[in-house]
Structures are given as structure tokens and as C-alpha cells.
């Protein structure tokens, strides 16, 4: 081979030649941001993104891709950034992930792609989430949408719920040419992205941009429409001319502990608190007519993402002190590492290994304190985590004006109660491997099937359901690559029969 050609080849990167430090992301100082709702993390600049992209080794075995629940082509999009082709990076990302600006902000990367990144074996892993966010934000800023050529089909699809599962399913069936209507119970679309995750983590502008790109595909949104009360699933199929339905109603029904005092004034579920603040704009009271009196001291029970959001919202709403009570230790804390770190920086007090046993009355129907017992960690339970056991005689009171329960949620029940759908013992919708429910033409996915999970898993389910729905309707799935090894023989080109050539892409 000519020496000149050899010298033109890019040098192979190794762990020694890449930038050794993970590029930090700028953020608002803790003492400033704890009192405003502006976004905490400020994102990468162009130079920072290019620098961080150089840290990817483009590993042949791609462990990060396997670590992503929807198998985003991570080295593929990062290589595009290295080549300064940001639009190309966006195309690679959105071929599997509809919402890069959202997922780059909220996915638990440390336990997914970044948790298995090869660079992480010796240095800090490649900041995959931050790069994904940077590409997603560039697309929003530039107004890039990938609207393909859509050939209209004579099918009408109803999607119930506008969270990430419903959005992902809607996008795929709209691209297949179906008329798609998304029915949403609340007055704004987006599901938890809108009513649950606060602006300082996921600004509403980002959610709006993603909704607009769905509208650009022809998807219609009908808000203020509680399916099961205004009309039923059966009416959708029998009377409203809908050919197939996707149920993505989530798991937003709050769980309470069932301890004495948990129905006092001054006890809320985290979902109620967050919905009032984010969707009903309580933070702009009295401009918006949603009062949300917190008192001076707030205690939140639980330590997942929802608990972190609730605590940080209370700080921003003006609470003087905010405490977290969790029955396990910091190591078992289920929230994303970044959220826990940010909550600690902002001044939340953590009571690890403490379990509430009663909410105490202030004598006027309100709350005066949360009574807790100390816990010790015993043998591992079925989840593999050490089981917390109460320490006898360790009862103590944490003085507080408001108690917020963030201890998990259950299936939103209305569709289950108003249709013949088969449910699991815990009230979630029962589906087969294709996400088909017990009713013909009705598919389901996301939290309403799995229980509370993650945004990316809900989106993955929405896309899988869309594929099954297309099969059910007899639509060709032009996005499914066909292996060239699928056969040879007379009339076949690249292993494909002549009749299929117009409909499939060949994976080379
Ligand atoms: P949802 O997002 O819950 O959407 C369901 C939608 O259906 C809702 O809009 C609801 O109003 C609507 N609906 C319900 N019933 C009806 C009906 N009968 N008719 C019409 N509409 C109906 N995941 C992460 O990956 N990272 C995070 O950082 C993170 N933080 C979170 C913070 C909070 C506060 C919460 C609550 C969850 C968080 N999650 C996070 C989890 C993630 O948001 C969910 O797993 C995901 O949103 C589930 O998507 P979904 O589409 O299944 O349901
Ligand atoms: Fe790049 Fe890390 Fe994925 Fe390897 S594992 S391809 S270094 S992001």
C-alpha cells in the first residue's frame, strides 16, 4: 500500500491517546439554582462536545450499544460528531431514539451505556448522555426534523396517553402513513415529562419541541380527554372508526404508606406536589390559581428520582429546610447519581436508614412531626439489596410541617376498570411478547405494563408496539433491516426476492 495512503488514515485511538479527563458540564452554582427553576446543567459548548467526542474509542464490540435499552448506535453518532457532522449525528441518534434532547438529560446513563463503556474501566466513561443532549439541543435550535416521505394508509390509530411510550408509538405509526390521534387526560401533552420532571431538569421548551416534531408528522393531540370516562376502548374500536389502539397510560397512581396520620392536612403524594407545581404552575401563584402551602419544613419519604424532584421543587418554592427519609442507606439510593449529588449540593438533609411509622398531628388537623424508627441492614432480599430491619427502641420524631410520600406508584386504573382488558395481579395491563393485549387490535406498553420504569424503556416499548401494530394491520415495516444472508437463489439480489426490493433496507 502506498505510504501516502497509510499516512492519510486516522490514527487508531487508544486509552492513552484520548483526552484523559471527562469534559465537565457547566452548571448554575448550587446556592443560586436552589432558588430558581432555570435548568441546572447548562450543556456543552461546541468545543466541549468535540473534545468529549474524541474520548470514544469506537470499540469493535460496542458494549455501550448493548447497555442501552433501545440499542442506540452510540459510537456511530459520536463518530459523526468527531467528523463535525452534527446533522448526521442527529440522524443516527433519531433512527432509534425519538427524543435525544430528553434522554440526554434524564436517562440513568451511569447504569446503562456509560456504566459499561470501555473507557470507564480505566478513566471516567465517555459522557454519552451529555453528547446526546448536545446533538438533541442542536437539532431543536436548528429546527431539524426528520419527516420522511409518508404514503397515506387507510388506517386510524388511537393512542391513549401522551407520555414517552405514546409519543414513540405515535411517531412510528404516523411515519407508516396512518392517521394518528393521541388522547391525553391532562390539559397538556407529554406525560411525566411534562407534569412530573421539573423544568430545572427538563425544560418545558424541550418537551414542546418534541411534541411539535410529532405534529409535523401529522399526529393530532386531543387533550382534556380522559379515555374510559368520555368514551371507552370498545367504543374507540366499534364506533369511532379506529383500527388499532395503543394504551400508554403510565403508572401515576400514587402509593401511600398506610401509617397512622397519613390522611392529615399537610400530607401529599409527590406526584400531586409535582403536578401542582409543574403542570398547574403553583410556583407562579397567585398569577396561576394553584395554592401550594408548604410550611417552613418539608420531609420527603423515599429516595428515588421522584423524591429528589419533590425535594428540590420544595427548596425552590421557598421551604426553609427539606429533609429526606429513606429506609436503606445512601449506597442503595435508587435515584440517578447526578440527582442525588445535586440535591445534596442544594442543601437537602438526608436521614438514611430511617423508616416512618406515623405522621403526628399538630392538634389542628395539620402535621407537627414524622415519627421514624432507625433501621439496620440485614440479609439481601429478592432484589439483591440488603433488607432493612427496624432497630428496637429507636423511635424518634422529625419535626416538620409537610410530609410528602415518594414511595412509588401504581397503574393508572381507569382503562383497566372500564374495559375487558386482562390485567396482572397488580393491576398492570397483561401483554404478550408483541405487546398485544387480550383485546384484538389493542396494544400496550410503558409503565402501564412494566410498572414505574424509565423514559427510554417506555419509548422502546412504544416502538415495539408500533411494529406489532403495523404487522397486525398488514403494513410493511420498511424500517426492519433484512439480512443479506436471508437467502440466495433465482431472482434474488442481495438475498432479497424481487417482490421485496422496494420495501426493505439491506444491512450491508
Ligand atoms: P407517562 O409518562 O406516565 O404518561 C402517561 C400519560 O397517560 C399521562 O400523560 C397521563 O395523564 C395519561 N393518561 C393516563 N390515563 C389516561 C386515560 N384514561 N386517558 C387519557 N390519558 C391518560 N425516568 C427516567 O428515565 N429518568 C428520570 O430522571 C426520571 N425521573 C422521573 C421523575 C418523576 C417525578 C417521575 C414520576 C418519573 C420519572 N421517571 C424518570 C420515570 C419516567 O418518567 C417514566 O418511566 C415514563 O414517563 C413512563 O412513560 P409512559 O409513557 O409509560 O407513561
Ligand atoms: Fe465509545 Fe465507550 Fe461505546 Fe467504546 S464503549 S464505543 S468508548 S462510548
Amino acid at each position: 500500500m502506498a505510504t501516502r495512503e497509510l499516512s492519510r488514515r486516522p490514527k487508531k485511538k487508544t486509552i492513552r491517546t484520548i483526552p484523559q479527563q471527562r469534559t465537565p458540564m457547566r452548571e448554575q452554582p448550587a446556592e443560586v439554582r436552589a432558588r430558581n427553576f432555570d435548568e441546572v446543567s447548562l450543556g456543552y459548548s461546541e468545543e466541549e462536545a468535540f473534545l468529549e467526542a474524541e474520548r470514544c474509542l469506537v470499540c469493535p464490540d460496542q458494549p455501550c450499544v448493548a447497555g442501552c435499552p433501545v440499542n442506540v448506535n452510540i459510537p456511530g453518532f459520536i463518530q459523526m460528531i468527531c467528523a463535525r457532522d452534527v446533522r448526521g449525528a442527529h440522524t443516527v441518534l433519531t433512527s432509534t431514539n425519538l427524543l435525544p434532547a430528553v434522554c440526554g438529560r434524564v436517562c440513568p446513563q451511569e447504569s446503562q451505556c456509560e456504566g459499561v463503556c470501555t473507557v470507564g474501566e480505566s478513566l471516567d466513561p465517555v459522557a454519552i448522555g451529555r453528547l446526546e443532549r448536545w446533538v438533541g439541543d442542536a437539532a431543536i435550535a436548528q429546527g431539524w426534523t426528520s419527516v420522511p416521505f409518508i404514503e397515506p394508509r387507510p388506517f386510524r390509530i388511537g393512542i391513549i396517553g401522551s407520555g414517552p411510550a405514546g409519543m414513540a408509538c405515535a411517531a412510528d405509526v404516523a411515519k407508516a402513513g396512518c392517521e394518528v390521534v393521541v388522547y391525553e387526560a391532562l390539559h397538556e401533552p407529554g406525560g411525566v415529562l411534562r407534569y412530573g420532571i421539573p423544568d430545572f431538569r427538563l425544560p418545558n421548551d424541550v418537551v414542546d419541541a418534541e411534541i411539535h416534531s410529532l405534529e409535523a408528522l401529522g399526529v393530532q393531540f386531543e387533550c382534556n380527554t380522559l379515555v374510559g370516562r368520555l368514551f371507552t376502548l370498545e367504543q374507540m374500536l366499534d364506533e369511532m372508526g379506529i383500527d388499532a389502539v395503543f394504551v400508554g397510560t403510565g403508572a401515576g397512581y400514587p402509593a401511600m404508606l398506610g401509617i397512622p396520620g397519613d390522611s392529615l392536612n399537610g400530607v401529599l403524594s409527590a406526584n400531586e406536589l409535582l403536578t401542582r407545581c409543574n403542570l398547574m404552575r403553583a410556583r407562579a401563584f397567585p398569577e396561576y390559581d394553584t395554592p401550594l402551602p408548604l410550611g417552613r419544613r418539608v420531609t420527603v419519604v423515599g429516595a428515588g428520582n421522584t423524591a429528589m424532584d419533590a425535594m428540590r421543587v420544595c427548596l425552590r418554592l421557598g421551604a426553609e429546610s427539606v429533609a429526606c427519609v429513606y429506609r436503606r442507606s445512601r449506597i442503595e439510593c435508587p435515584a440517578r447519581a447526578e440527582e442525588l449529588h445535586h440535591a445534596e449540593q442544594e442543601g437537602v438533609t438526608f436521614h438514611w436508614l430511617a423508616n416512618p411509622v406515623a405522621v403526628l398531628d399538630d392538634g389542628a388537623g395539620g402535621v407537627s412531626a414524622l415519627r421514624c424508627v432507625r433501621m439496620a441492614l440485614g440479609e439481601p432480599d429478592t432484589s439483591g439489596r440488603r433488607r432493612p430491619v427496624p432497630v428496637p427502641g429507636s423511635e424518634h420524631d422529625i419535626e416538620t410541617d409537610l410530609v410528602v410520600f415518594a414511595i412509588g406508584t401504581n397503574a393508572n386504573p381507569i382503562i383497566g376498570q372500564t374495559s375487558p382488558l386482562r390485567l396482572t395481579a397488580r393491576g398492570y395491563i397483561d401483554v404478550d411478547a408483541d405487546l398485544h393485549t387480550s383485546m384484538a387490535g389493542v396494544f400496550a406498553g410503558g409503565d402501564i405494563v412494566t410498572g414505574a420504569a424509565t423514559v427510554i424503556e417506555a419509548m422502546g416499548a412504544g416502538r415495539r408496539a408500533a411494529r406489532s401494530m403495523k404487522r397486525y394491520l398488514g403494513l410493511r415495516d420498511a424500517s426492519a433491516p433484512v439480512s443479506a444472508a436471508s437467502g440466495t437463489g433465482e431472482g434474488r439480489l442481495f438475498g432479497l426476492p424481487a417482490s421485496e426490493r422496494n420495501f426493505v433496507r439491506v444491512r450491508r
Side-chain angles (χ1 to χ4, degrees):
M1 190 181 298
T3 338
R4 202 162 3 114
E5 209 172 301
L6 266 179
S7 65
R8 252 191 272 126
R9 271 196 192 167
K11 280 208 190 111
K12 187 170 172 357
K13 288 193 265 185
T14 69
I15 196 79
R16 284 162 189 259
T17 61
I18 60 172
Q20 301 289 290
Q21 306 291 330
R22 183 172 155 113
T23 315
M25 186 156 68
R26 285 157 298 125
E27 35 185 60
Q28 287 194 67
E31 63 285 1
V32 176
R33 69 177 192 241
R35 300 289 165 190
N36 70 49
F37 277 87
D38 296 341
E39 199 172 5
V40 168
S41 305
L42 302 176
Y44 276 161
S45 65
E46 198 174 69
E47 299 83 75
E48 287 164 341
F50 292 153
L51 181 66
E52 185 60 24
E54 286 304 328
R55 298 182 72 236
C56 174
L57 296 171
V58 198
C59 314
D61 55 343
Q62 308 185 339
C64 52
V65 178
C68 169
V70 298
N71 305 125
V72 166
N73 178 358
I74 291 166
F77 96 80
I78 296 182
Q79 270 182 290
M80 291 284 188
I81 300 179
C82 290
R84 309 292 191 260
D85 181 358
V86 187
R87 180 132 204 195
H90 182 246
T91 306
V92 173
L93 263 172
T94 47
S95 66
T96 32
N97 180 357
L98 178 73
L99 310 173
V102 172
C103 291
R105 285 174 166 82
V106 305
C107 270
Q109 290 100 2
E110 69 274 10
S111 55
Q112 296 176 343
C113 53
E114 293 181 13
V116 291
C117 169
T118 315
V119 174
E121 290 168 15
S122 321
L123 307 168
D124 281 337
V126 177
I128 301 167
R130 294 174 183 179
L131 290 173
E132 182 182 28
R133 168 191 164 147
W134 180 72
V135 174
D137 285 355
I140 293 174
Q142 302 291 330
W144 297 332
T145 45
S146 21
V147 181
F149 169 73
I150 297 177
E151 193 183 332
R153 308 282 181 169
F155 296 114
R156 210 160 174 245
I157 308 295
I159 309 267
I160 312 177
S162 65
M167 284 161 86
C169 184
D172 279 3
V173 285
K175 284 179 190 166
C178 302
E179 186 187 335
V180 184
V181 184
V182 179
Y183 300 101
E184 168 56 52
L186 299 173
H187 61 274
E188 286 185 43
V192 170
L193 307 183
R194 177 82 67 185
Y195 77 76
I197 304 181
D199 267 38
F200 56 81
R201 256 195 333 120
L202 178 62
N204 267 334
D205 294 352
V206 174
V207 183
D208 288 341
E210 305 297 9
I211 300 285
H212 288 153
S213 52
L214 282 182
E215 286 170 338
L217 291 172
V219 173
Q220 300 160 50
F221 287 88
E222 288 197 12
C223 292
N224 296 313
T225 308
L226 182 63
V227 180
R229 292 285 181 258
L230 285 180
F231 47 82
T232 63
L233 205 53
E234 283 153 309
Q235 282 174 310
M236 288 173 79
L237 292 165
D238 297 342
E239 299 168 22
M240 292 167 64
I242 291 177
D243 299 288
V245 175
F246 173 75
V247 185
T249 45
Y253 193 72
M256 302 297 263
L257 259 188
I259 56 176
D262 76 359
S263 53
L264 286 169
N265 283 333
V267 179
L268 284 179
S269 72
N271 267 28
E272 184 180 349
L273 177 112
L274 290 168
T275 307
R276 283 198 196 193
C277 177
N278 301 335
L279 187 76
M280 320 274 296
R281 309 277 202 279
R283 64 180 196 240
F285 179 80
E287 195 187 325
Y288 285 81
D289 195 13
T290 312
L292 184 49
L294 296 181
R296 285 188 300 117
R297 301 154 302 180
V298 178
T299 304
V300 175
V301 181
N305 286 323
T306 308
M308 299 298 148
D309 285 342
M311 293 185 286
R312 298 174 68 199
V313 155
C314 289
L315 282 174
R316 284 157 175 79
L317 288 173
E320 280 175 23
S321 67
V322 176
C324 170
V325 169
Y326 182 53
R327 63 198 183 118
R328 298 178 196 256
S329 73
R330 189 179 188 283
I331 301 168
E332 288 88 19
C333 169
R336 293 180 65 216
E338 188 179 49
E339 306 318 324
L340 172 59
H341 173 62
H342 281 160
E344 286 172 334
Q345 279 185 329
E346 290 170 14
V348 170
T349 310
F350 285 86
H351 298 272
W352 304 112
L353 290 167
N355 200 31
V357 289
V359 184
L360 305 186
D361 195 330
D362 66 357
V367 170
S368 65
L370 183 66
R371 177 156 296 164
C372 298
V373 285
R374 258 185 268 293
M375 308 295 274
L377 292 180
E379 293 302 310
D381 61 16
T382 45
S383 72
R385 296 181 302 173
R386 292 176 65 195
R387 186 194 299 275
V389 285
V391 177
S394 65
E395 286 194 359
H396 58 284
D397 296 344
I398 298 172
E399 288 184 5
T400 192
D401 304 308
L402 183 79
V403 173
V404 180
F405 283 105
I407 52 167
T409 48
N410 297 310
N412 281 337
I414 291 175
I415 297 291
Q417 288 165 353
T418 56
S419 74
L421 282 181
R422 194 173 59 225
L423 305 180
T424 66
R426 296 185 54 215
Y428 294 100
I429 297 180
D430 202 8
V431 291
D432 66 13
D434 292 330
L435 302 186
H436 212 153
T437 67
S438 56
M439 276 175 81
V442 179
F443 300 79
D447 283 6
I448 189 62
V449 168
T450 56
T454 61
V455 171
I456 190 85
E457 284 167 314
M459 274 175 41
R463 298 205 69 188
R464 254 176 48 208
R467 276 199 293 278
S468 304
M469 202 180 255
K470 285 189 270 182
R471 265 201 309 279
Y472 169 80
L473 297 170
L475 290 172
R476 283 173 194 281
D477 193 351
S479 61
V482 168
S483 163
S486 57
T488 53
E490 208 179 323
R492 283 179 181 264
L493 184 63
F494 302 122
L496 303 175
S499 58
E500 293 291 313
R501 279 183 210 143
N502 287 340
F503 302 108
V504 293
R505 293 184 195 158
V506 180
R507 175 168 285 159
R508 283 181 293 161

